[in-house]
Amino acid sequence: MIDIGANLTNRSFDGDRDAVLDRARSAGLGGIVVTGTSVAESRAAARLAAGHADLWSTAGVHPHDAKSVPAGWIDDIAALAGEPKVVAIGETGLDFNRNYSPPAVQRDVFAAQIDLAGRLDMPLFVHDRDSGGETARLLAGHGANPESVVIHCFTGTAEDLDTWLDAGYYIGITGWICDPRRGDELRTLAPRIPDDRLLIETDAPFLIPRTMRPMPRTRRNEPAFLLEVVNALATLRDTTVDAIAETTGHNARRAFRLPPLHAGMDKPVP
């Protein structure tokens, strides 16, 4: 299993990050992609990934952080993208649900990152919430490579899913699928995702699977809990846990161009 999106630089992990990684490995994870959401967080994610053979990271600016980009931010992201363990541009995209950043600013910052990914021939890790199709239009308008776009934490409608699949993008599924309050539509859509487009992620420390028993007192999600997502998908797609783990792991290595798994992959870099 590979968790393609975990916010492991979040301060909630500051007290036990090494233990969190150990639990992930014990749970069967073969790798984790650590999410960058700003210039500072992308630097921290790159540093963390550089110290472990089974971690990689993304470098980008989340739409919530678009309003706060410093001067020269795109050059900073480009420089980080040149580091060996940085495997994608993002998390980037549009979020018109909360509009923590003005929509016009989000568009500009997102477009700059699509263009950067194209220039560097790197995958894009994309956030989309309530954009009314504008995320898709910007991706297409700026010539994003369909084989290199990952729609992170998909929670959209059937129409949204059709748009992403018609474009040839990868679809990331989180613990949202385990949420009895909000996950009904996602559970009906999950079987429609082709095997070769399916990815899994925790978005830790957020979106803890509500199927967990017992539920951790902290309600903090972590990569070790990815198996809950795998179990849900196996049931909904009428297949096995092993099949979901193998398929999504293969897809993650293809989407992010990760090296093949080998003995000792889960050991820290000396």
Side-chain angles (χ1 to χ4, degrees):
M1 292 186 293
I2 295 178
D3 184 348
I4 64 146
N7 299 280
L8 289 180
T9 60
N10 186 278
R11 63 184 179 183
S12 68
F13 294 116
D14 285 352
D16 65 343
R17 193 169 283 107
D18 287 342
V20 167
L21 292 174
D22 287 343
R23 286 193 291 273
R25 292 159 183 149
S26 295
L29 270 73
I32 302 169
V33 180
V34 184
T35 307
T37 56
S38 67
V39 172
E41 288 297 322
S42 295
R43 285 196 182 108
R47 284 196 300 270
L48 179 61
H52 299 268
D54 53 354
L55 300 187
W56 300 271
S57 71
T58 71
V61 175
H62 190 286
H64 291 344
D65 295 282
K67 66 181 183 298
S68 304
V69 291
W73 70 274
I74 196 68
D75 294 329
D76 293 334
I77 296 299
L80 283 166
E83 298 194 12
K85 300 301 291 292
V86 175
V87 295
I89 302 299
E91 177 179 356
T92 182
L94 300 175
D95 191 316
F96 296 164
N97 177 268
R98 297 181 178 179
N99 279 326
Y100 287 150
S101 295
V105 175
Q106 292 187 45
R107 293 183 189 101
D108 289 346
V109 170
F110 181 33
Q113 292 175 90
I114 301 172
D115 292 342
L116 177 63
R119 291 198 305 274
L120 300 179
D121 187 27
M122 291 185 71
L124 270 167
F125 193 59
V126 177
H127 175 108
D128 175 65
R129 191 171 185 190
D130 294 349
S131 75
E134 199 156 347
T135 299
R137 288 191 289 273
L138 278 170
L139 286 166
H142 285 261
N145 177 3
E147 286 294 318
S148 297
V149 175
V150 173
I151 303 301
H152 154 66
C153 187
F154 173 73
T155 58
T157 64
E159 183 180 0
D160 293 330
L161 182 61
D162 288 342
T163 296
W164 302 135
L165 294 180
D166 288 347
Y169 301 160
Y170 292 94
I171 308 295
I173 300 297
T174 64
W176 191 281
I177 205 168
C178 303
D179 191 328
R181 305 169 306 161
R182 303 182 293 180
D184 283 348
E185 185 167 21
L186 181 58
R187 285 190 288 275
T188 66
L189 295 176
R192 290 179 44 194
I193 303 170
D195 284 348
D196 65 351
R197 299 290 102 183
L198 182 65
L199 296 168
I200 52 176
E201 52 181 322
T202 57
D203 202 29
F206 314 111
L207 297 180
I208 190 168
R210 292 181 174 271
T211 49
M212 291 194 65
R213 297 292 182 273
M215 180 67 73
R217 287 181 301 164
T218 64
R219 298 299 177 98
R220 182 191 71 177
N221 198 9
E222 61 179 78
F225 304 158
L226 188 62
L227 188 57
E228 293 290 321
V229 177
V230 174
N231 282 330
L233 283 169
T235 298
L236 292 165
R237 295 168 69 89
D238 192 25
T239 186
T240 66
V241 166
D242 286 346
I244 295 291
E246 182 177 355
T247 295
T248 57
H250 176 77
N251 292 344
R253 294 188 181 280
R254 184 176 69 243
F256 292 99
R257 307 169 193 174
L258 306 181
L261 187 65
H262 59 271
M265 193 67 179
D266 61 351
K267 302 301 182 184
V269 174

